[in-house]
Amino acid sequence: SRRRHTRSLCDWISDVCSSDLRALQEAAADVLSVINASPGDLAPVFHDILKKAVSLFDSSPGHLLLYDGELIDTAAVRGDRQFADWMFGRKPFAPQQGTLIAEVYLDGKEIVQCDDATQYSAYQIFPGYTKLIDVGGIRSVLIVALCKDGRFLGSIALYRQEVRPYTARDVALLRSFAAQAVIAMENARLITETREALEQQTATAEVLQVINSSPGDLAPVFDAMLEKAMRLCGAAFGSMYTYDGERFSSVAQRGLPTAYAEFRAKSP
């Protein structure tokens, strides 16, 4: 896998002229700086990657999308206010077979290009696609997938508002930006997993301290358990019950509406 990845990087670089390579190196350095300055926070990283890509490719609008295996959602947008508002105003949506974006997420293509989006068959069929093209004034399209271990995590799309197809060099450059986005996502995932593991270990240690400091007294133990569970899960309120074989009895409550708390306490 590492050898294949190394070969693909070499292929990208061989397709890029020296001036483009310098520009790419500068953009990559800027993006890495944002990644280092925002560990675990993908929003500024996606924004910077898209900003650099749009500028370097002389594109007008563009966007970075994320995909959870079912729905697509907007993560970053470049373009005028109308285009940005429309993109961010969309609810997460499923890819529709027959659209350009479906060629990535449903057909498994890493690279999708279209010389003139208004001549693509989906322009006459799908209202959402038609609106995207019309609001953005889009003609030429280049989409590159964000891939990790064979999974599609999202995509970067660049658009030109005149018919001016993207070149093989453009594709090679945008693939490198896509690789940076995937690195940022993996970095954020590892940070999140490490943070969650540490939080769970800390919560367990704190509960054990309460148990040791309150031998035979379960009330503070139950309260501590509930508090830690709610904090780790981001819960607004919660209850803890014991079961005697017939009925449940409330032994700890946090944040419950007053009437509900009183009802549960009085009515096992």
Side-chain angles (χ1 to χ4, degrees):
S1 176
R2 186 178 295 111
R3 287 196 297 270
R4 289 197 301 272
H5 183 61
T6 302
R7 284 199 299 271
S8 65
L9 284 174
C10 292
D11 291 341
W12 296 346
I13 292 174
S14 66
D15 288 334
V16 181
C17 69
S18 58
S19 60
D20 285 336
L21 183 56
R22 284 194 299 272
L24 177 60
Q25 289 171 336
E26 292 174 359
D30 290 342
V31 171
L32 288 174
S33 296
V34 175
I35 293 174
N36 292 331
S38 308
D41 185 4
L42 289 172
V45 177
F46 289 156
H47 175 80
D48 198 67
I49 287 175
L50 189 59
K51 178 181 177 182
K52 296 291 189 302
V54 168
S55 174
L56 191 59
F57 291 94
D58 188 28
S59 295
S60 186
H63 54 66
L64 192 153
L65 305 177
L66 296 180
Y67 183 58
D68 64 5
E70 294 183 2
L71 300 178
I72 301 168
D73 200 8
T74 302
V77 178
R78 297 293 293 179
D80 62 27
R81 182 64 177 272
Q82 183 183 14
F83 181 73
D85 287 347
W86 186 80
M87 284 296 305
F88 281 121
R90 302 177 79 185
K91 295 180 179 179
F93 61 96
Q96 291 180 294
Q97 192 70 57
T99 61
L100 285 172
I101 202 68
E103 293 188 30
V104 174
Y105 299 116
L106 299 183
D107 300 337
K109 294 182 180 179
E110 184 184 352
I111 299 163
V112 175
Q113 293 178 265
C114 181
D115 292 350
D116 188 348
T118 64
Q119 301 303 309
Y120 190 70
S121 58
Y123 183 72
Q124 306 295 334
I125 300 172
F126 299 103
Y129 178 86
T130 304
K131 187 70 173 179
L132 168 71
I133 302 306
D134 291 345
V135 171
I138 293 167
R139 301 301 290 274
S140 292
V141 178
L142 171 61
I143 304 173
V144 173
L146 309 182
C147 299
K148 172 67 176 177
D149 298 332
R151 294 183 298 115
F152 289 95
L153 308 177
S155 57
I156 300 179
L158 298 181
Y159 304 116
R160 285 175 174 152
Q161 294 178 314
E162 71 276 0
V163 177
R164 184 158 53 94
Y166 290 90
T167 66
R169 182 177 293 118
D170 294 332
V171 172
L173 284 167
L174 191 57
R175 289 179 70 186
S176 66
F177 279 103
Q180 287 185 326
V182 172
I183 290 172
M185 294 171 73
E186 182 67 8
N187 183 56
R189 183 186 66 81
L190 293 173
I191 289 174
T192 299
E193 288 182 354
T194 301
R195 183 186 298 122
E196 289 177 349
L198 180 59
E199 289 175 347
Q200 291 177 20
Q201 291 172 354
T202 301
T204 300
E206 291 173 350
V207 170
L208 289 174
Q209 288 177 353
V210 175
I211 292 174
N212 291 332
S213 63
S214 308
D217 185 4
L218 291 176
V221 177
F222 290 156
D223 188 66
M225 287 180 173
L226 182 59
E227 186 274 325
K228 308 306 178 192
M230 288 175 57
R231 187 181 68 195
L232 290 174
C233 297
F237 59 85
S239 300
M240 186 172 182
Y241 301 92
T242 57
Y243 181 60
D244 64 7
E246 294 182 357
R247 298 184 300 176
F248 291 94
S249 298
S250 176
V251 294
Q253 299 176 347
R254 277 185 170 266
L256 292 182
T258 303
Y260 181 65
E262 293 175 353
F263 170 76
R264 297 310 303 170
K266 296 176 181 179
S267 306

Short mmCIF file of all heavy atoms in Angstrom, two decimals, residues 229-231 233-239 253-257:
data_model
loop_
_atom_site.label_atom_id
_atom_site.label_comp_id
_atom_site.label_asym_id
_atom_site.label_seq_id
_atom_site.Cartn_x
_atom_site.Cartn_y
_atom_site.Cartn_z
N ALA A 229 -21.00 9.92 32.95
CA ALA A 229 -21.64 9.39 31.74
C ALA A 229 -22.28 10.51 30.92
O ALA A 229 -22.15 10.55 29.69
CB ALA A 229 -22.69 8.35 32.12
N MET A 230 -22.97 11.43 31.60
CA MET A 230 -23.61 12.55 30.89
C MET A 230 -22.57 13.43 30.22
O MET A 230 -22.75 13.88 29.09
CB MET A 230 -24.46 13.36 31.87
CG MET A 230 -25.73 12.67 32.31
SD MET A 230 -26.62 13.62 33.57
CE MET A 230 -26.86 15.18 32.70
N ARG A 231 -21.47 13.68 30.92
CA ARG A 231 -20.43 14.55 30.36
C ARG A 231 -19.81 13.91 29.12
O ARG A 231 -19.62 14.57 28.09
CB ARG A 231 -19.35 14.81 31.41
CG ARG A 231 -18.30 15.84 30.97
CD ARG A 231 -17.25 16.02 32.05
NE ARG A 231 -16.44 14.81 32.18
CZ ARG A 231 -15.65 14.56 33.21
NH1 ARG A 231 -15.61 15.40 34.24
NH2 ARG A 231 -14.91 13.46 33.25
N CYS A 233 -21.08 11.71 27.13
CA CYS A 233 -22.07 11.55 26.05
C CYS A 233 -22.68 12.88 25.59
O CYS A 233 -23.48 12.89 24.66
CB CYS A 233 -23.18 10.60 26.49
SG CYS A 233 -22.60 8.93 26.83
N GLY A 234 -22.33 13.98 26.27
CA GLY A 234 -22.90 15.27 25.89
C GLY A 234 -24.40 15.32 26.13
O GLY A 234 -25.13 15.93 25.34
N ALA A 235 -24.86 14.69 27.22
CA ALA A 235 -26.30 14.62 27.50
C ALA A 235 -26.77 15.84 28.28
O ALA A 235 -26.04 16.40 29.10
CB ALA A 235 -26.61 13.36 28.30
N ALA A 236 -28.01 16.24 28.04
CA ALA A 236 -28.59 17.39 28.73
C ALA A 236 -29.08 17.01 30.13
O ALA A 236 -28.96 17.78 31.07
CB ALA A 236 -29.76 17.97 27.92
N PHE A 237 -29.65 15.82 30.27
CA PHE A 237 -30.06 15.34 31.59
C PHE A 237 -30.08 13.82 31.57
O PHE A 237 -30.01 13.19 30.51
CB PHE A 237 -31.43 15.91 32.01
CG PHE A 237 -32.56 15.59 31.09
CD1 PHE A 237 -33.26 14.39 31.19
CD2 PHE A 237 -32.95 16.51 30.11
CE1 PHE A 237 -34.32 14.10 30.35
CE2 PHE A 237 -34.01 16.23 29.26
CZ PHE A 237 -34.70 15.03 29.38
N GLY A 238 -30.14 13.22 32.77
CA GLY A 238 -30.12 11.77 32.83
C GLY A 238 -30.60 11.25 34.17
O GLY A 238 -30.72 12.00 35.14
N SER A 239 -30.88 9.95 34.20
CA SER A 239 -31.34 9.28 35.42
C SER A 239 -30.62 7.95 35.54
O SER A 239 -30.20 7.35 34.55
CB SER A 239 -32.85 9.02 35.38
OG SER A 239 -33.58 10.22 35.25
N GLN A 253 -30.26 11.50 39.76
CA GLN A 253 -30.87 12.32 38.71
C GLN A 253 -30.02 13.57 38.50
O GLN A 253 -29.48 14.12 39.46
CB GLN A 253 -32.29 12.75 39.09
CG GLN A 253 -33.26 11.60 39.29
CD GLN A 253 -34.63 12.08 39.75
OE1 GLN A 253 -34.79 13.24 40.14
NE2 GLN A 253 -35.61 11.20 39.71
N ARG A 254 -29.94 14.01 37.26
CA ARG A 254 -29.21 15.25 36.95
C ARG A 254 -29.91 15.98 35.81
O ARG A 254 -30.13 15.41 34.75
CB ARG A 254 -27.76 14.96 36.56
CG ARG A 254 -26.85 14.77 37.75
CD ARG A 254 -25.40 14.60 37.33
NE ARG A 254 -24.54 14.67 38.51
CZ ARG A 254 -23.96 15.79 38.95
NH1 ARG A 254 -24.13 16.92 38.30
NH2 ARG A 254 -23.19 15.77 40.02
N GLY A 255 -30.26 17.22 36.09
CA GLY A 255 -30.79 18.09 35.04
C GLY A 255 -32.21 17.79 34.61
O GLY A 255 -32.68 18.36 33.62
N LEU A 256 -32.92 16.91 35.31
CA LEU A 256 -34.28 16.57 34.89
C LEU A 256 -35.23 17.75 35.10
O LEU A 256 -35.07 18.51 36.07
CB LEU A 256 -34.81 15.38 35.69
CG LEU A 256 -34.17 14.01 35.47
CD1 LEU A 256 -34.88 12.98 36.34
CD2 LEU A 256 -34.23 13.61 34.02
N PRO A 257 -36.23 17.92 34.24
CA PRO A 257 -37.29 18.90 34.52
C PRO A 257 -37.91 18.58 35.88
O PRO A 257 -38.11 17.40 36.21
CB PRO A 257 -38.28 18.67 33.37
CG PRO A 257 -37.45 18.09 32.26
CD PRO A 257 -36.42 17.24 32.94
#
